[in-house]
PDB file of all heavy atoms in Angstrom:
ATOM      1  N   ARG I   2     -44.643  25.470  60.071  1.00  0.00           N
ATOM      2  CA  ARG I   2     -43.284  25.837  60.466  1.00  0.00           C
ATOM      3  C   ARG I   2     -43.162  27.358  60.557  1.00  0.00           C
ATOM      4  O   ARG I   2     -43.865  28.086  59.884  1.00  0.00           O
ATOM      5  CB  ARG I   2     -42.289  25.333  59.421  1.00  0.00           C
ATOM      6  CG  ARG I   2     -42.171  23.846  59.321  1.00  0.00           C
ATOM      7  CD  ARG I   2     -40.996  23.475  58.457  1.00  0.00           C
ATOM      8  NE  ARG I   2     -41.175  23.906  57.082  1.00  0.00           N
ATOM      9  CZ  ARG I   2     -41.273  23.059  56.047  1.00  0.00           C
ATOM     10  NH1 ARG I   2     -41.230  21.766  56.235  1.00  0.00           N
ATOM     11  NH2 ARG I   2     -41.391  23.526  54.836  1.00  0.00           N
ATOM     12  N   ARG I   4     -40.211  30.694  60.602  1.00  0.00           N
ATOM     13  CA  ARG I   4     -38.825  31.065  60.342  1.00  0.00           C
ATOM     14  C   ARG I   4     -38.090  31.173  61.667  1.00  0.00           C
ATOM     15  O   ARG I   4     -38.600  31.771  62.610  1.00  0.00           O
ATOM     16  CB  ARG I   4     -38.768  32.403  59.602  1.00  0.00           C
ATOM     17  CG  ARG I   4     -37.357  32.832  59.283  1.00  0.00           C
ATOM     18  CD  ARG I   4     -37.344  34.253  58.717  1.00  0.00           C
ATOM     19  NE  ARG I   4     -35.978  34.654  58.390  1.00  0.00           N
ATOM     20  CZ  ARG I   4     -35.609  35.922  58.229  1.00  0.00           C
ATOM     21  NH1 ARG I   4     -36.491  36.885  58.358  1.00  0.00           N
ATOM     22  NH2 ARG I   4     -34.352  36.220  57.936  1.00  0.00           N
ATOM     23  N   HIS I  18     -30.266  15.416  55.148  1.00  0.00           N
ATOM     24  CA  HIS I  18     -30.249  15.467  53.682  1.00  0.00           C
ATOM     25  C   HIS I  18     -29.361  16.576  53.132  1.00  0.00           C
ATOM     26  O   HIS I  18     -29.334  16.821  51.932  1.00  0.00           O
ATOM     27  CB  HIS I  18     -31.679  15.591  53.139  1.00  0.00           C
ATOM     28  CG  HIS I  18     -32.366  16.854  53.544  1.00  0.00           C
ATOM     29  ND1 HIS I  18     -33.033  16.984  54.731  1.00  0.00           N
ATOM     30  CD2 HIS I  18     -32.479  18.038  52.915  1.00  0.00           C
ATOM     31  CE1 HIS I  18     -33.532  18.206  54.815  1.00  0.00           C
ATOM     32  NE2 HIS I  18     -33.204  18.863  53.738  1.00  0.00           N
ATOM     33  N   ARG I  20     -25.427  17.390  53.039  1.00  0.00           N
ATOM     34  CA  ARG I  20     -24.165  16.722  53.370  1.00  0.00           C
ATOM     35  C   ARG I  20     -22.961  17.601  53.077  1.00  0.00           C
ATOM     36  O   ARG I  20     -22.819  18.132  51.980  1.00  0.00           O
ATOM     37  CB  ARG I  20     -24.038  15.429  52.555  1.00  0.00           C
ATOM     38  CG  ARG I  20     -25.063  14.373  52.910  1.00  0.00           C
ATOM     39  CD  ARG I  20     -24.476  12.976  52.770  1.00  0.00           C
ATOM     40  NE  ARG I  20     -23.926  12.716  51.457  1.00  0.00           N
ATOM     41  CZ  ARG I  20     -24.570  12.030  50.503  1.00  0.00           C
ATOM     42  NH1 ARG I  20     -25.770  11.565  50.738  1.00  0.00           N
ATOM     43  NH2 ARG I  20     -23.998  11.820  49.338  1.00  0.00           N
ATOM     44  N   GLN I  22     -19.146  17.198  52.569  1.00  0.00           N
ATOM     45  CA  GLN I  22     -18.152  16.134  52.374  1.00  0.00           C
ATOM     46  C   GLN I  22     -16.954  16.654  51.582  1.00  0.00           C
ATOM     47  O   GLN I  22     -17.062  17.625  50.842  1.00  0.00           O
ATOM     48  CB  GLN I  22     -18.782  14.895  51.718  1.00  0.00           C
ATOM     49  CG  GLN I  22     -19.316  15.088  50.314  1.00  0.00           C
ATOM     50  CD  GLN I  22     -20.154  13.884  49.849  1.00  0.00           C
ATOM     51  OE1 GLN I  22     -20.987  13.351  50.587  1.00  0.00           O
ATOM     52  NE2 GLN I  22     -19.936  13.443  48.608  1.00  0.00           N
ATOM     53  N   LEU I  26     -11.515  14.258  44.387  1.00  0.00           N
ATOM     54  CA  LEU I  26     -11.149  14.543  42.997  1.00  0.00           C
ATOM     55  C   LEU I  26     -10.793  16.015  42.785  1.00  0.00           C
ATOM     56  O   LEU I  26      -9.823  16.350  42.118  1.00  0.00           O
ATOM     57  CB  LEU I  26     -12.321  14.156  42.082  1.00  0.00           C
ATOM     58  CG  LEU I  26     -12.054  14.236  40.586  1.00  0.00           C
ATOM     59  CD1 LEU I  26     -11.491  12.911  40.090  1.00  0.00           C
ATOM     60  CD2 LEU I  26     -13.332  14.576  39.830  1.00  0.00           C
ATOM     61  N   ARG I  27     -11.600  16.901  43.373  1.00  0.00           N
ATOM     62  CA  ARG I  27     -11.381  18.336  43.191  1.00  0.00           C
ATOM     63  C   ARG I  27     -10.564  18.936  44.321  1.00  0.00           C
ATOM     64  O   ARG I  27     -10.184  20.111  44.250  1.00  0.00           O
ATOM     65  CB  ARG I  27     -12.730  19.062  43.066  1.00  0.00           C
ATOM     66  CG  ARG I  27     -13.542  18.644  41.832  1.00  0.00           C
ATOM     67  CD  ARG I  27     -14.961  19.170  41.912  1.00  0.00           C
ATOM     68  NE  ARG I  27     -15.787  18.792  40.772  1.00  0.00           N
ATOM     69  CZ  ARG I  27     -16.438  17.632  40.664  1.00  0.00           C
ATOM     70  NH1 ARG I  27     -16.359  16.736  41.637  1.00  0.00           N
ATOM     71  NH2 ARG I  27     -17.164  17.370  39.597  1.00  0.00           N
ATOM     72  N   LEU I  33     -23.740  19.104  49.558  1.00  0.00           N
ATOM     73  CA  LEU I  33     -24.740  18.515  48.666  1.00  0.00           C
ATOM     74  C   LEU I  33     -26.114  18.624  49.319  1.00  0.00           C
ATOM     75  O   LEU I  33     -26.306  18.181  50.451  1.00  0.00           O
ATOM     76  CB  LEU I  33     -24.406  17.047  48.390  1.00  0.00           C
ATOM     77  CG  LEU I  33     -23.026  16.787  47.772  1.00  0.00           C
ATOM     78  CD1 LEU I  33     -22.787  15.292  47.607  1.00  0.00           C
ATOM     79  CD2 LEU I  33     -22.888  17.494  46.429  1.00  0.00           C
ATOM     80  N   ALA I  34     -27.037  19.244  48.602  1.00  0.00           N
ATOM     81  CA  ALA I  34     -28.395  19.463  49.117  1.00  0.00           C
ATOM     82  C   ALA I  34     -29.372  19.246  47.964  1.00  0.00           C
ATOM     83  O   ALA I  34     -28.944  19.135  46.821  1.00  0.00           O
ATOM     84  CB  ALA I  34     -28.501  20.889  49.672  1.00  0.00           C
ATOM     85  N   PRO I  35     -30.683  19.185  48.255  1.00  0.00           N
ATOM     86  CA  PRO I  35     -31.643  18.969  47.168  1.00  0.00           C
ATOM     87  C   PRO I  35     -31.456  19.959  46.018  1.00  0.00           C
ATOM     88  O   PRO I  35     -31.579  21.167  46.220  1.00  0.00           O
ATOM     89  CB  PRO I  35     -32.998  19.171  47.859  1.00  0.00           C
ATOM     90  CG  PRO I  35     -32.737  18.800  49.281  1.00  0.00           C
ATOM     91  CD  PRO I  35     -31.332  19.252  49.562  1.00  0.00           C
ATOM     92  N   GLU I  36     -31.129  19.448  44.845  1.00  0.00           N
ATOM     93  CA  GLU I  36     -30.956  20.261  43.627  1.00  0.00           C
ATOM     94  C   GLU I  36     -29.891  21.342  43.793  1.00  0.00           C
ATOM     95  O   GLU I  36     -29.902  22.337  43.075  1.00  0.00           O
ATOM     96  CB  GLU I  36     -32.282  20.919  43.213  1.00  0.00           C
ATOM     97  CG  GLU I  36     -33.419  19.943  42.981  1.00  0.00           C
ATOM     98  CD  GLU I  36     -33.385  19.270  41.609  1.00  0.00           C
ATOM     99  OE1 GLU I  36     -32.616  19.709  40.738  1.00  0.00           O
ATOM    100  OE2 GLU I  36     -34.116  18.276  41.432  1.00  0.00           O
ATOM    101  N   LYS I  37     -28.981  21.164  44.737  1.00  0.00           N
ATOM    102  CA  LYS I  37     -27.957  22.179  44.970  1.00  0.00           C
ATOM    103  C   LYS I  37     -26.596  21.540  45.223  1.00  0.00           C
ATOM    104  O   LYS I  37     -26.499  20.555  45.951  1.00  0.00           O
ATOM    105  CB  LYS I  37     -28.307  23.003  46.219  1.00  0.00           C
ATOM    106  CG  LYS I  37     -29.051  24.269  45.949  1.00  0.00           C
ATOM    107  CD  LYS I  37     -28.931  25.209  47.165  1.00  0.00           C
ATOM    108  CE  LYS I  37     -29.938  26.330  47.057  1.00  0.00           C
ATOM    109  NZ  LYS I  37     -31.299  25.920  47.436  1.00  0.00           N
ATOM    110  N   VAL I  38     -25.555  22.132  44.653  1.00  0.00           N
ATOM    111  CA  VAL I  38     -24.177  21.776  44.976  1.00  0.00           C
ATOM    112  C   VAL I  38     -23.464  23.093  45.288  1.00  0.00           C
ATOM    113  O   VAL I  38     -23.433  24.000  44.464  1.00  0.00           O
ATOM    114  CB  VAL I  38     -23.484  21.064  43.797  1.00  0.00           C
ATOM    115  CG1 VAL I  38     -22.028  20.803  44.114  1.00  0.00           C
ATOM    116  CG2 VAL I  38     -24.196  19.751  43.461  1.00  0.00           C
ATOM    117  N   ASP I  89     -32.192  30.195  56.636  1.00  0.00           N
ATOM    118  CA  ASP I  89     -33.224  30.727  55.735  1.00  0.00           C
ATOM    119  C   ASP I  89     -33.286  29.932  54.439  1.00  0.00           C
ATOM    120  O   ASP I  89     -34.341  29.811  53.831  1.00  0.00           O
ATOM    121  CB  ASP I  89     -32.960  32.207  55.431  1.00  0.00           C
ATOM    122  CG  ASP I  89     -33.363  33.107  56.579  1.00  0.00           C
ATOM    123  OD1 ASP I  89     -34.062  32.624  57.480  1.00  0.00           O
ATOM    124  OD2 ASP I  89     -32.971  34.288  56.575  1.00  0.00           O
ATOM    125  N   LYS I  90     -32.127  29.420  54.020  1.00  0.00           N
ATOM    126  CA  LYS I  90     -32.108  28.607  52.801  1.00  0.00           C
ATOM    127  C   LYS I  90     -32.408  27.138  53.099  1.00  0.00           C
ATOM    128  O   LYS I  90     -32.303  26.284  52.227  1.00  0.00           O
ATOM    129  CB  LYS I  90     -30.735  28.722  52.124  1.00  0.00           C
ATOM    130  CG  LYS I  90     -30.476  30.097  51.553  1.00  0.00           C
ATOM    131  CD  LYS I  90     -29.061  30.197  50.997  1.00  0.00           C
ATOM    132  CE  LYS I  90     -28.816  31.591  50.443  1.00  0.00           C
ATOM    133  NZ  LYS I  90     -27.403  31.992  50.569  1.00  0.00           N
ATOM    134  N   ARG I  91     -32.732  26.849  54.341  1.00  0.00           N
ATOM    135  CA  ARG I  91     -33.068  25.494  54.807  1.00  0.00           C
ATOM    136  C   ARG I  91     -31.900  24.529  54.640  1.00  0.00           C
ATOM    137  O   ARG I  91     -32.085  23.342  54.405  1.00  0.00           O
ATOM    138  CB  ARG I  91     -34.342  24.976  54.138  1.00  0.00           C
ATOM    139  CG  ARG I  91     -35.528  25.916  54.372  1.00  0.00           C
ATOM    140  CD  ARG I  91     -36.855  25.371  53.942  1.00  0.00           C
ATOM    141  NE  ARG I  91     -37.149  24.043  54.469  1.00  0.00           N
ATOM    142  CZ  ARG I  91     -37.522  23.790  55.713  1.00  0.00           C
ATOM    143  NH1 ARG I  91     -37.651  24.765  56.567  1.00  0.00           N
ATOM    144  NH2 ARG I  91     -37.776  22.561  56.091  1.00  0.00           N
TER     145      ARG I  91
ATOM    146  N   PRO T   7     -17.829  16.860  35.334  1.00  0.00           N
ATOM    147  CA  PRO T   7     -19.231  17.223  35.511  1.00  0.00           C
ATOM    148  C   PRO T   7     -19.682  17.014  36.951  1.00  0.00           C
ATOM    149  O   PRO T   7     -19.101  16.206  37.687  1.00  0.00           O
ATOM    150  CB  PRO T   7     -19.965  16.258  34.580  1.00  0.00           C
ATOM    151  CG  PRO T   7     -19.072  15.071  34.487  1.00  0.00           C
ATOM    152  CD  PRO T   7     -17.662  15.585  34.620  1.00  0.00           C
ATOM    153  N   GLY T  54     -16.378  12.207  38.571  1.00  0.00           N
ATOM    154  CA  GLY T  54     -16.574  13.336  39.481  1.00  0.00           C
ATOM    155  C   GLY T  54     -18.011  13.746  39.720  1.00  0.00           C
ATOM    156  O   GLY T  54     -18.284  14.772  40.348  1.00  0.00           O
ATOM    157  N   GLN T  57     -24.035  14.447  42.090  1.00  0.00           N
ATOM    158  CA  GLN T  57     -25.477  14.260  42.257  1.00  0.00           C
ATOM    159  C   GLN T  57     -26.049  13.513  41.061  1.00  0.00           C
ATOM    160  O   GLN T  57     -25.720  13.843  39.916  1.00  0.00           O
ATOM    161  CB  GLN T  57     -26.199  15.614  42.349  1.00  0.00           C
ATOM    162  CG  GLN T  57     -26.108  16.243  43.725  1.00  0.00           C
ATOM    163  CD  GLN T  57     -27.072  17.399  43.908  1.00  0.00           C
ATOM    164  OE1 GLN T  57     -27.456  18.060  42.954  1.00  0.00           O
ATOM    165  NE2 GLN T  57     -27.450  17.656  45.154  1.00  0.00           N
ATOM    166  N   ALA T  82     -20.892   7.853  47.830  1.00  0.00           N
ATOM    167  CA  ALA T  82     -21.173   9.189  48.388  1.00  0.00           C
ATOM    168  C   ALA T  82     -21.787  10.129  47.356  1.00  0.00           C
ATOM    169  O   ALA T  82     -21.673  11.344  47.461  1.00  0.00           O
ATOM    170  CB  ALA T  82     -19.931   9.818  49.008  1.00  0.00           C
ATOM    171  N   TYR T  84     -24.978  11.925  45.810  1.00  0.00           N
ATOM    172  CA  TYR T  84     -26.277  12.365  46.305  1.00  0.00           C
ATOM    173  C   TYR T  84     -27.362  11.926  45.325  1.00  0.00           C
ATOM    174  O   TYR T  84     -27.286  12.207  44.132  1.00  0.00           O
ATOM    175  CB  TYR T  84     -26.268  13.889  46.414  1.00  0.00           C
ATOM    176  CG  TYR T  84     -27.357  14.478  47.275  1.00  0.00           C
ATOM    177  CD1 TYR T  84     -27.127  14.746  48.619  1.00  0.00           C
ATOM    178  CD2 TYR T  84     -28.595  14.798  46.746  1.00  0.00           C
ATOM    179  CE1 TYR T  84     -28.114  15.307  49.410  1.00  0.00           C
ATOM    180  CE2 TYR T  84     -29.588  15.360  47.529  1.00  0.00           C
ATOM    181  CZ  TYR T  84     -29.330  15.605  48.861  1.00  0.00           C
ATOM    182  OH  TYR T  84     -30.317  16.162  49.637  1.00  0.00           O
ATOM    183  N   ASN T  86     -31.326  11.742  44.001  1.00  0.00           N
ATOM    184  CA  ASN T  86     -32.590  12.465  43.963  1.00  0.00           C
ATOM    185  C   ASN T  86     -33.561  11.665  43.096  1.00  0.00           C
ATOM    186  O   ASN T  86     -33.290  11.435  41.922  1.00  0.00           O
ATOM    187  CB  ASN T  86     -32.322  13.851  43.356  1.00  0.00           C
ATOM    188  CG  ASN T  86     -33.577  14.669  43.160  1.00  0.00           C
ATOM    189  OD1 ASN T  86     -34.591  14.438  43.810  1.00  0.00           O
ATOM    190  ND2 ASN T  86     -33.507  15.634  42.259  1.00  0.00           N
ATOM    191  N   ASP T 108     -31.457  10.171  49.085  1.00  0.00           N
ATOM    192  CA  ASP T 108     -31.286  11.440  49.785  1.00  0.00           C
ATOM    193  C   ASP T 108     -32.495  12.372  49.690  1.00  0.00           C
ATOM    194  O   ASP T 108     -32.712  13.180  50.578  1.00  0.00           O
ATOM    195  CB  ASP T 108     -30.070  12.187  49.227  1.00  0.00           C
ATOM    196  CG  ASP T 108     -28.770  11.515  49.632  1.00  0.00           C
ATOM    197  OD1 ASP T 108     -28.518  11.430  50.848  1.00  0.00           O
ATOM    198  OD2 ASP T 108     -28.015  11.051  48.748  1.00  0.00           O
ATOM    199  N   GLN T 111     -38.519  14.039  44.756  1.00  0.00           N
ATOM    200  CA  GLN T 111     -39.296  15.086  44.098  1.00  0.00           C
ATOM    201  C   GLN T 111     -40.535  14.451  43.476  1.00  0.00           C
ATOM    202  O   GLN T 111     -40.434  13.517  42.706  1.00  0.00           O
ATOM    203  CB  GLN T 111     -38.446  15.756  43.017  1.00  0.00           C
ATOM    204  CG  GLN T 111     -39.244  16.735  42.165  1.00  0.00           C
ATOM    205  CD  GLN T 111     -38.391  17.372  41.078  1.00  0.00           C
ATOM    206  OE1 GLN T 111     -37.291  17.827  41.340  1.00  0.00           O
ATOM    207  NE2 GLN T 111     -38.899  17.398  39.867  1.00  0.00           N
ATOM    208  N   PRO T 148     -36.577  14.206  52.693  1.00  0.00           N
ATOM    209  CA  PRO T 148     -36.985  15.561  52.303  1.00  0.00           C
ATOM    210  C   PRO T 148     -37.735  15.529  50.981  1.00  0.00           C
ATOM    211  O   PRO T 148     -37.440  14.705  50.112  1.00  0.00           O
ATOM    212  CB  PRO T 148     -35.668  16.315  52.169  1.00  0.00           C
ATOM    213  CG  PRO T 148     -34.668  15.264  51.873  1.00  0.00           C
ATOM    214  CD  PRO T 148     -35.134  13.996  52.520  1.00  0.00           C
ATOM    215  N   ASP T 174     -45.573  19.523  54.079  1.00  0.00           N
ATOM    216  CA  ASP T 174     -44.300  19.649  54.773  1.00  0.00           C
ATOM    217  C   ASP T 174     -43.120  19.481  53.807  1.00  0.00           C
ATOM    218  O   ASP T 174     -42.115  18.841  54.131  1.00  0.00           O
ATOM    219  CB  ASP T 174     -44.215  18.620  55.921  1.00  0.00           C
ATOM    220  CG  ASP T 174     -43.061  18.919  56.866  1.00  0.00           C
ATOM    221  OD1 ASP T 174     -42.764  20.110  57.065  1.00  0.00           O
ATOM    222  OD2 ASP T 174     -42.452  17.966  57.391  1.00  0.00           O
ATOM    223  N   ALA T 175     -43.281  20.044  52.608  1.00  0.00           N
ATOM    224  CA  ALA T 175     -42.193  19.992  51.628  1.00  0.00           C
ATOM    225  C   ALA T 175     -41.098  20.974  52.017  1.00  0.00           C
ATOM    226  O   ALA T 175     -41.340  21.986  52.662  1.00  0.00           O
ATOM    227  CB  ALA T 175     -42.725  20.319  50.239  1.00  0.00           C
ATOM    228  N   ASP T 176     -39.884  20.634  51.610  1.00  0.00           N
ATOM    229  CA  ASP T 176     -38.732  21.490  51.833  1.00  0.00           C
ATOM    230  C   ASP T 176     -38.641  22.538  50.717  1.00  0.00           C
ATOM    231  O   ASP T 176     -38.243  23.670  50.936  1.00  0.00           O
ATOM    232  CB  ASP T 176     -37.483  20.599  51.804  1.00  0.00           C
ATOM    233  CG  ASP T 176     -36.304  21.263  52.452  1.00  0.00           C
ATOM    234  OD1 ASP T 176     -36.425  21.622  53.637  1.00  0.00           O
ATOM    235  OD2 ASP T 176     -35.274  21.433  51.780  1.00  0.00           O
ATOM    236  N   ARG T 177     -39.012  22.087  49.522  1.00  0.00           N
ATOM    237  CA  ARG T 177     -38.890  22.936  48.332  1.00  0.00           C
ATOM    238  C   ARG T 177     -40.142  22.831  47.479  1.00  0.00           C
ATOM    239  O   ARG T 177     -40.812  21.809  47.461  1.00  0.00           O
ATOM    240  CB  ARG T 177     -37.717  22.474  47.445  1.00  0.00           C
ATOM    241  CG  ARG T 177     -36.355  22.673  48.019  1.00  0.00           C
ATOM    242  CD  ARG T 177     -35.295  22.100  47.075  1.00  0.00           C
ATOM    243  NE  ARG T 177     -35.161  22.831  45.837  1.00  0.00           N
ATOM    244  CZ  ARG T 177     -35.468  22.374  44.645  1.00  0.00           C
ATOM    245  NH1 ARG T 177     -35.949  21.170  44.491  1.00  0.00           N
ATOM    246  NH2 ARG T 177     -35.294  23.122  43.573  1.00  0.00           N
ATOM    247  N   GLY T 219     -37.025  30.850  54.980  1.00  0.00           N
ATOM    248  CA  GLY T 219     -36.680  29.938  56.067  1.00  0.00           C
ATOM    249  C   GLY T 219     -37.750  28.878  56.325  1.00  0.00           C
ATOM    250  O   GLY T 219     -37.572  28.009  57.168  1.00  0.00           O
ATOM    251  N   ILE T 220     -38.887  28.970  55.608  1.00  0.00           N
ATOM    252  CA  ILE T 220     -39.999  28.027  55.810  1.00  0.00           C
ATOM    253  C   ILE T 220     -40.140  27.107  54.601  1.00  0.00           C
ATOM    254  O   ILE T 220     -40.267  25.893  54.729  1.00  0.00           O
ATOM    255  CB  ILE T 220     -41.315  28.799  56.069  1.00  0.00           C
ATOM    256  CG1 ILE T 220     -41.170  29.609  57.362  1.00  0.00           C
ATOM    257  CG2 ILE T 220     -42.495  27.844  56.139  1.00  0.00           C
ATOM    258  CD1 ILE T 220     -42.250  30.632  57.580  1.00  0.00           C
ATOM    259  N   ASN T 222     -38.486  26.750  50.488  1.00  0.00           N
ATOM    260  CA  ASN T 222     -37.699  27.248  49.350  1.00  0.00           C
ATOM    261  C   ASN T 222     -38.558  27.169  48.094  1.00  0.00           C
ATOM    262  O   ASN T 222     -39.111  26.116  47.786  1.00  0.00           O
ATOM    263  CB  ASN T 222     -36.451  26.387  49.138  1.00  0.00           C
ATOM    264  CG  ASN T 222     -35.376  26.662  50.178  1.00  0.00           C
ATOM    265  OD1 ASN T 222     -35.336  27.738  50.777  1.00  0.00           O
ATOM    266  ND2 ASN T 222     -34.505  25.688  50.387  1.00  0.00           N
TER     267      ASN T 222
END
Side-chain angles (χ1 to χ4, degrees):
Chain I
R2 293 190 295 244
R4 181 188 181 199
H18 63 275
R20 294 214 304 260
Q22 64 191 44
L26 187 89
R27 296 168 181 84
L33 302 177
E36 303 279 348
K37 265 199 194 78
V38 176
D89 283 347
K90 292 175 181 149
R91 303 189 51 76
Chain T
Q57 280 193 333
Y84 197 93
N86 176 23
D108 289 299
Q111 173 181 313
D174 193 34
D176 199 58
R177 292 177 68 247
I220 297 167
N222 285 336

